[in-house]
Amino acid sequence: MTRILVVEDESGIALALEEDLRAEGYEVEVVEDGETASRRAREESFDAILLDLMLPRKDGYEVCRELRRAGVATPILILTAKTHEAEKVLGLELGADDYVTKPYSPRELRARIKAVLRRTTGDIPSVYRFGDAEVDFGRRELRRAGRVVETTPLEFKLLEAFVERRGRVLSRQQLLDAAWGREVYITDRVVDNQVNHLRRKVEPDPSRPRYLISIRGIGYRFDG
Ligand code: CA
């Protein structure tokens, strides 16, 4: 059974989350403060953690940082207010995998949870397909409708980062780390330009992207 740790101090929200997740067939444990969350996540193995940010005793950022530092790789979804983009970026950079905005929609919650669980259950096949595109990791080649599309090594790395983390939001900093490496100083603009190059190669209509989706104020998500 898939086990989810819910960390939320507002009991109304916690209860709603618990009910929605149970209805989906997940086993749920609810804790109400950051200290307990950090301890429980290390004591037992959960398949995913839903983590509120403003918590008593230890905030969600600190919990995230602690768990990642302790080598806990459990996917973490942070719960955040819709308008707080800086919170989302910081959360993602501290090691969260994705976020769910409050007030949350049950449908969105289900989709986000499925996406993070997918990462842990399936390895990426050597050829990944979406639409008419094939990303061949063995040959490091992109094909559309069977024809090779030229990509630069950087574009391919970027594509690889997107495929590996499909369905999840990536900040520009995370894309930068994945494709350029941590030691390089690059501006956000350069990341955006490269994503646009990539769009021209994978999107049926680059002016209306359906695979490489812009997430305002944060970065991008690959929905392939
Ligand atoms: Ca709270």
Side-chain angles (χ1 to χ4, degrees):
M1 206 172 186
T2 306
R3 301 184 69 213
I4 299 179
L5 180 66
V6 172
V7 190
E8 171 63 78
D9 60 318
E10 282 167 63
S11 55
I13 299 176
L15 195 65
L17 285 167
E18 189 179 4
E19 279 175 3
D20 287 340
L21 294 170
R22 289 236 162 95
E24 284 297 297
Y26 298 119
E27 193 183 315
V28 184
E29 176 172 331
V30 179
V31 297
E32 293 172 1
D33 71 90
E35 225 167 82
T36 312
S38 182
R39 182 171 52 79
R40 292 297 293 143
R42 278 178 287 181
E43 280 171 355
E44 291 201 29
S45 80
F46 291 93
D47 297 287
I49 302 169
L50 262 175
L51 180 66
D52 184 31
L53 291 174
M54 295 306 125
L55 292 164
R57 292 164 75 180
K58 190 171 274 175
D59 68 26
Y61 300 117
E62 190 52 36
V63 173
C64 222
R65 193 185 286 129
E66 265 181 21
L67 292 179
R68 294 309 186 227
R69 220 178 258 158
V72 175
T74 312
I76 298 175
L77 284 137
I78 52 177
L79 290 161
T80 169
K82 199 165 234 157
T83 47
H84 295 181
E85 261 125 28
E87 280 186 352
K88 297 172 197 163
V89 174
L90 183 58
L92 293 170
E93 281 164 9
L94 289 176
D97 294 85
D98 207 341
Y99 61 84
V100 174
T101 52
K102 292 197 282 193
Y104 71 94
S105 95
R107 197 177 62 87
E108 175 76 3
L109 175 70
R110 284 197 292 272
R112 301 266 70 84
I113 287 185
K114 286 211 176 98
V116 294
L117 291 174
R118 236 179 0 230
R119 186 199 65 168
T120 41
T121 49
D123 281 335
I124 293 173
S126 59
V127 178
Y128 184 80
R129 294 182 178 82
F130 62 98
D132 68 350
E134 290 178 322
V135 187
D136 187 329
F137 293 107
R139 303 169 78 156
R140 303 198 71 73
E141 201 171 83
L142 170 67
R143 294 184 291 269
R144 289 278 301 275
R147 291 215 174 128
V148 175
V149 177
E150 292 297 330
T151 50
T152 65
L154 190 71
E155 286 166 352
F156 198 86
K157 270 198 209 168
L158 208 50
L159 189 56
E160 192 169 33
F162 277 123
V163 172
E164 278 173 359
R165 299 166 180 87
R166 61 194 179 278
R168 293 189 293 144
V169 178
L170 292 169
S171 71
R172 291 182 174 81
Q173 185 63 46
Q174 288 175 309
L175 289 169
L176 209 154
D177 290 345
W180 282 265
R182 284 177 181 273
E183 307 303 316
V184 185
Y185 181 76
I186 303 277
T187 61
D188 286 354
R189 179 67 64 85
V190 178
V191 178
D192 292 336
N193 285 340
Q194 287 297 326
V195 171
N196 282 330
H197 288 313
L198 203 52
R199 276 178 171 155
R200 275 178 233 135
K201 298 182 180 183
V202 302
E203 294 285 353
D205 177 0
S207 65
R208 274 184 294 171
R210 54 188 260 206
Y211 299 119
L212 296 173
I213 312 297
S214 295
I215 308 294
R216 200 171 63 89
I218 301 179
Y220 298 92
R221 188 182 67 224
F222 175 59
D223 279 347

